[in-house]
Amino acid sequence: FCAVALQELPEARFPTSFESCRRVTSECRRQAMPAEVCLAVAYHETRLRNLPAYEGRRRIAAGAKPADLPSWIDRGPMQARPRALCPGRVADGCDFVEVAVKHLRWCRVRMARRHRARYSSADAARWQWRNAFACYKLPSRPDWGYASRVERYRRRLVEL
């Protein structure tokens, strides 16, 4: 799946993209999540690179060791925030892909419960991932613009 996905998403052709794709898809399968959902988030966040976050246009982590980075910096291909998602709220020993997929699964369940009465069953299936993507970055304040961008990538990957 990764080889085909990287051909379909040309902006994701970096030396580490294939390895990041394999890590994300295997963790998705392990947690019973569709691979295209997690890949859409990883593609939108980092173009499938395993990088720390940006602060504006300047990379915070330029030349810094991972242990030197503050816990509020998002990390990994899906940009998990150690302070919010990692055990003990520290990055040491944290698997950023595992906690990001777990968080995305939590968002899906949370948003499905919140919107269950609002949609019919056909609409719920269509909106479940968009709602989960909206919750992913900041659960207390859903970002619908972010959700529609990630949903566009997900639909592209589903067509493969």
Side-chain angles (χ1 to χ4, degrees), residues 53-111:
Y54 284 94
E55 178 183 45
R57 293 183 180 264
R58 181 176 59 88
R59 182 166 296 289
I60 292 173
K65 296 176 184 164
D68 298 335
L69 298 173
S71 64
W72 52 266
I73 293 181
D74 298 345
R75 303 181 199 180
M78 294 177 72
Q79 294 293 282
R81 183 164 295 160
R83 183 176 63 185
L85 301 177
C86 291
R89 302 178 70 146
V90 294
D92 295 337
C94 182
D95 182 352
F96 301 117
V97 175
E98 179 184 353
V99 296
V101 172
K102 186 176 182 181
H103 177 62
L104 184 58
R105 192 179 68 210
W106 176 83
C107 284
R108 178 183 178 203
V109 170
R110 176 178 186 253
M111 295 304 269

